[in-house]
Amino acid sequence: MKELKIAELTKTYGEKTLFDHISFSIRDKDRIGLIGTNGTGKTSLLNILAGKDSGDGDVNSIQQPNEYQIGYLSQDQTFDPNLTVVEAVFQGDTPIIKAVKNYELALLALAEDGSSEAAQKKYAQAEERMNKEDAWTADTDAKIILQKLGIETLHKKIGELSGGQKKRVSLAQVLIESPDLLLLDEPTNHLDYEAISWLESFLNSYRGAILMVTHDRYFLDRVTNRIFELSFGKLYEYKGNYEAYLLAKAERERVEVEQEEKRKQLYKQELEWMRAGVQARGTKQQARQDRFHDLKENLNQVNHKDQLEIDVGTQRLGKKVLEIQGGCYEIEDKVILNDFNLLIQAKDRIGITGKNGAGKSTLLNILAGRIPLMSGVYSIGETVHLAYYTQQNEAMDPNKRMIAYLQEAAEQVQRNDGTTISVAELLERFLFPRFMHGTIIGKLSGGEKRRLYLLKLLITQPNVLLLDEPTNDLDIDTLTILEDYIQSFKGAVVAVSHDRYFLDKTMDKLLIFQGSGQIDSYFGSMSEYVTIAKEQSKKIAKIENKPLKKTSDKKEKIKLTYMEQKEWETIEAEIEVLEETTTQLAEEMNHQGDDFTKLQQLQNELTIAEKELEDKMERWEYLSEFANN
């Protein structure tokens, strides 16, 4: 069994100690989730393990087996923009990866000009090399990975891709290389829910070890068998998945607090003894004095993170918020919105999810007034004060100090109870201790910058929140409090996200982008929708894979039975009734406003009616084959 060992690793960054002599090991089949507040050093630890950074001093803290391969999906993966996708994906040095790369390039060349003798010769050589390296399985596996991650344009240049597409190319590259240890920094970012579900299955069956940073709590639950938590320079290990970690961590903290309380009580007793002026007339008294000094040095060892809190008031919001009527929008002949209608009212919680590239962020930009519709009407209420959390931070001066950045928005902020709070106090409640308030923005981690950006938006006291992938760069602690804040928020919230846990906890209605302007609505949780979608996919697959009826010596059916004839006489009327029922239910749902209990009831009735209609249509097709015989 291969094992990577890390011993006494130390790393400081400015005044902050990221790792204080931490030690751990990683073995085959380990599925480790790395957890910690932004700024605790998660990405720094991945960089050190990947050889892109090192610990303090000259001590070599990492011991790894010979020929041990480490693959790293980093947040800032960069490719030469002039490379094609196929060249970027197959960058590995192994003979098999090189053979697959040459074969795929030869295929593309042959597809462009099948009559070219040079292309035919190149393909023949590539095919021969594939046989020699026995690389056909690797090629098939690579194509499955590319297809599941939605990477179809192998001939495109990297420079022509969006940020999300580049991230998926990076993920494909590291998965295809199949190293001994996979280091994954936010692997679910920019993946839709179908790709995330596939990735869960892929990683669960992966032959090597995995260490990953992710905000997706469902993903952690379904993939991990160990959890590492970074906190105040220490690394805590837990067996099991994320749910097991939460239980074990609560018990650890309870025991630590209990032990700290006992130390304080004992210290208080020993302090009274010392103050009594007892002379050290013998070794027992001297030993007791030594124990007192040891006890004093070991007090206050328990460091617990302060509870991140968002307590910011909201401006009054009128009945009318945002509305799109008959909205149409296209990008490069690709339909995003087609006669689209959306009414957003106060206290609405709308989650936007679905296929990548289908226009989810575009819709947010339209709602924010940043992009005009090509046709249709967009209107915004007079009392709306909107905050838009985009995927990229606004321009942040790297030389500006944190507190000055926030003071651009406000010096004092009103809380929900009417009292005010200073910007400095808010920073502390957002897990930025006072010694950091004068820190220049350029020295913050990527996650800390995102948390600071979110805080600046919230202190403007908006009553409508537009959130574009808020879970991508925020740590789990911050996400948990943001989710609680959304639940008590008095205004409207619209969020683009693929994070199923976040959507389940915060959103009441879903808009699912299917592509080409098709946008489905669902009233209920993301988990419910995924379950229904999976069941429908299984039914479709079952129908498509249904084997053809074999001919036999038995007499073939040529006409309907008496009972089938009776069924045929009424089935069209039954279909018509079901079609009217589904139309009426859909129409009734459009007029329910924010009565989500009624909406969910109607959604369930509609799902049942649609299933009955689908079954009737299948039955009609069967009966129609023999009806006229």
Side-chain angles (χ1 to χ4, degrees):
M1 177 180 285
K2 295 179 180 180
E3 183 176 16
L4 181 73
K5 295 182 179 180
I6 291 83
E8 299 294 318
L9 176 64
T10 298
K11 180 74 173 178
T12 56
Y13 186 73
E15 298 180 22
K16 187 187 296 183
T17 299
L18 296 180
F19 316 129
D20 186 8
H21 298 89
I22 64 173
S23 301
F24 58 92
S25 61
I26 301 174
R27 296 173 290 276
D28 287 346
K29 295 296 181 182
D30 273 347
R31 307 285 185 268
I32 304 169
L34 181 60
I35 290 174
T37 305
N38 286 336
T40 53
K42 300 187 296 294
T43 298
S44 294
L45 182 57
L46 295 185
N47 283 333
I48 290 172
L49 294 177
K52 295 181 178 295
D53 197 0
S54 60
D56 294 343
D58 300 325
V59 180
N60 184 10
S61 302
I62 302 177
Q63 299 175 22
Q64 66 185 54
N66 293 329
E67 298 182 359
Y68 190 80
Q69 291 184 316
I70 297 176
Y72 184 22
L73 172 72
S74 69
Q75 286 278 29
D76 55 354
Q77 186 83 16
T78 55
F79 292 113
D80 183 339
N82 295 314
L83 289 178
T84 62
V85 170
V86 70
E87 289 170 335
V89 165
F90 298 106
Q91 283 192 340
D93 293 327
T94 65
I96 288 179
I97 292 294
K98 286 182 177 179
V100 173
K101 176 182 177 180
N102 289 334
Y103 176 72
E104 291 298 331
L105 288 171
L107 270 179
L108 289 174
L110 201 62
E112 285 183 12
D113 186 3
S115 62
S116 167
E117 290 186 9
Q120 292 172 4
K121 183 178 180 181
K122 185 179 180 182
Y123 175 78
Q125 292 172 339
E127 191 176 33
E128 183 181 346
R129 188 172 177 184
M130 288 287 286
N131 291 327
K132 180 181 177 183
E133 298 294 344
D134 193 18
W136 294 107
T137 300
D139 182 60
T140 301
D141 292 343
K143 285 177 177 174
I144 290 172
I145 290 170
L146 291 167
Q147 184 259 326
K148 292 295 184 180
L149 294 180
I151 302 168
E152 300 169 351
T153 52
L154 297 182
H155 63 281
K156 264 195 172 184
K157 300 274 188 180
I158 292 294
E160 298 172 10
L161 304 182
S162 68
Q165 289 172 324
K166 290 175 185 175
K167 183 68 183 278
R168 295 200 297 278
V169 168
S170 300
L171 178 57
Q173 181 204 0
V174 73
L175 295 182
I176 287 169
E177 288 181 356
S178 190
D180 298 294
L181 172 61
L182 274 175
L183 302 175
L184 305 175
D185 199 351
E186 299 290 5
T188 63
N189 282 6
H190 307 292
L191 298 186
D192 58 34
Y193 64 88
E194 291 176 342
I196 291 172
S197 180
W198 170 82
L199 184 61
E200 286 174 0
S201 300
F202 180 90
L203 294 182
N204 277 321
S205 60
Y206 190 69
R207 64 171 182 79
I210 302 164
L211 176 62
M212 61 180 175
V213 175
T214 179
H215 59 270
D216 190 323
R217 285 146 287 183
Y218 284 158
F219 193 80
L220 281 170
D221 241 2
R222 293 166 182 168
V223 176
T224 59
N225 55 28
R226 295 174 75 191
I227 297 289
F228 288 176
E229 181 189 16
L230 286 171
S231 180
F232 298 102
K234 302 295 183 184
L235 184 138
Y236 299 93
E237 297 187 39
Y238 301 88
K239 291 182 179 178
N241 63 4
Y242 180 69
E243 183 179 356
Y245 150 76
L246 290 176
L247 295 172
K249 179 186 177 183
E251 177 61 17
R252 174 181 69 81
E253 291 183 341
R254 185 193 67 78
V255 171
E256 284 181 347
V257 170
E258 193 175 89
Q259 291 175 342
E260 178 73 6
E261 191 59 36
K262 287 179 179 178
R263 282 196 296 270
K264 287 180 179 178
Q265 290 295 329
L266 182 57
Y267 174 74
K268 186 177 179 181
Q269 295 171 9
E270 295 300 289
L271 181 60
E272 291 176 358
W273 181 81
M274 290 289 288
R275 285 175 174 170
V278 179
Q279 298 297 317
R281 288 191 292 266
T283 55
K284 288 185 178 180
Q285 286 89 342
Q286 183 60 51
R288 187 169 180 180
Q289 287 188 25
D290 292 341
R291 283 198 302 273
F292 168 78
H293 292 299
D294 289 341
L295 188 62
K296 184 177 181 180
E297 289 180 6
N298 286 296
L299 280 180
N300 303 313
Q301 285 191 0
V302 179
N303 287 314
H304 289 308
K305 290 174 285 192
D306 295 328
Q307 181 63 47
L308 193 156
E309 183 181 353
I310 305 175
D311 185 14
V312 177
T314 305
Q315 298 183 33
R316 186 189 70 81
L317 181 62
K319 187 175 181 180
K320 181 176 180 181
V321 182
L322 300 171
E323 185 174 11
I324 294 175
Q325 295 175 310
C328 294
Y329 192 83
E330 294 183 10
I331 299 177
E332 297 176 353
D333 296 327
K334 183 169 71 173
V335 177
I336 304 297
L337 303 179
N338 182 23
D339 196 23
F340 178 70
N341 297 298
L342 177 65
L343 174 63
I344 300 173
Q345 298 175 304
K347 297 188 178 179
D348 270 357
R349 302 289 185 270
I350 301 174
I352 301 174
T353 190
K355 295 184 180 297
N356 285 310
K360 301 182 298 294
S361 295
T362 300
L363 176 56
L364 275 196
N365 281 323
I366 290 169
L367 292 173
R370 298 188 176 188
I371 297 177
L373 290 168
M374 289 182 170
S375 64
V377 178
Y378 164 76
S379 56
I380 183 170
E382 292 180 2
T383 59
V384 168
H385 178 60
L386 190 147
Y388 184 13
Y389 182 85
T390 58
Q391 286 198 45
Q392 286 80 36
N393 293 340
E394 64 176 28
M396 301 173 82
D397 184 350
N399 298 312
K400 182 164 287 184
R401 303 192 182 278
M402 288 172 55
I403 194 162
Y405 172 73
L406 287 186
Q407 286 169 339
E408 291 176 350
E411 292 277 355
Q412 298 278 335
V413 182
Q414 185 172 317
R415 293 190 284 199
N416 283 314
D417 61 4
T419 61
T420 59
I421 185 172
S422 70
V423 167
E425 288 177 287
L426 266 178
L427 275 169
E428 288 191 84
R429 294 192 179 201
F430 239 55
L431 302 185
F432 291 115
R434 282 197 178 264
F435 75 83
M436 288 187 66
H437 294 186
T439 303
I440 61 172
I441 290 172
K443 288 190 175 181
L444 300 179
S445 70
E448 286 172 325
K449 289 176 184 175
R450 295 296 283 167
R451 195 179 344 140
L452 184 66
Y453 171 54
L454 174 62
L455 179 56
K456 184 174 183 180
L457 290 176
L458 295 181
I459 66 176
T460 64
Q461 300 182 262
N463 50 29
V464 176
L465 283 177
L466 302 182
L467 307 172
D468 196 357
E469 297 287 7
T471 63
N472 275 5
D473 301 293
L474 298 176
D475 57 71
I476 290 174
D477 287 341
T478 308
L479 279 176
T480 301
I481 303 304
L482 176 60
E483 288 159 355
D484 292 340
Y485 173 77
I486 288 173
Q487 288 178 332
S488 62
F489 184 65
K490 295 177 181 178
V493 183
V494 182
V496 170
S497 181
H498 293 120
D499 189 312
R500 297 154 296 178
Y501 189 100
F502 175 81
L503 291 171
D504 280 354
K505 191 171 178 181
T506 59
M507 300 295 138
D508 301 315
K509 176 183 177 181
L510 299 175
L511 297 177
I512 302 97
F513 276 63
Q514 305 289 9
S516 301
Q518 181 184 342
I519 303 171
D520 298 336
S521 296
Y522 182 77
F523 293 88
S525 72
M526 185 65 189
S527 290
E528 290 169 352
Y529 173 78
V530 169
T531 300
I532 291 172
K534 283 182 179 178
E535 289 174 356
Q536 290 176 342
S537 295
K538 286 179 182 177
K539 289 174 185 173
I540 293 170
K542 192 174 181 180
I543 292 169
E544 290 177 346
N545 296 327
K546 203 172 185 180
L548 295 172
K549 292 180 181 178
K550 294 180 180 179
T551 57
S552 66
D553 295 335
K554 291 182 181 179
K555 187 177 179 180
E556 286 190 13
K557 182 183 180 78
I558 58 173
K559 66 178 183 178
L560 298 176
T561 65
Y562 174 77
M563 293 304 296
E564 286 174 337
Q565 183 63 42
K566 288 291 185 184
E567 185 182 358
W568 172 250
E569 291 170 0
T570 60
I571 194 168
E572 288 188 355
E574 291 171 356
I575 288 172
E576 188 175 340
V577 170
L578 284 169
E579 286 175 337
E580 289 178 1
T581 300
T582 57
T583 301
Q584 288 172 0
L585 286 169
E587 183 67 23
E588 195 173 347
M589 287 172 69
N590 290 331
H591 293 87
Q592 286 304 311
D594 58 358
D595 186 350
F596 292 107
T597 302
K598 181 64 174 176
L599 282 169
Q600 186 57 62
Q601 178 188 334
L602 291 169
Q603 176 73 63
N604 294 336
E605 291 177 13
L606 180 60
T607 302
I608 294 169
E610 287 176 337
K611 175 64 171 64
E612 290 179 1
L613 179 59
E614 179 186 346
D615 292 342
K616 286 288 183 186
M617 292 297 293
E618 287 182 20
R619 185 65 176 163
W620 182 89
E621 288 179 8
Y622 169 75
L623 295 174
S624 66
E625 293 179 28
F626 314 102
N628 297 319
N629 293 341

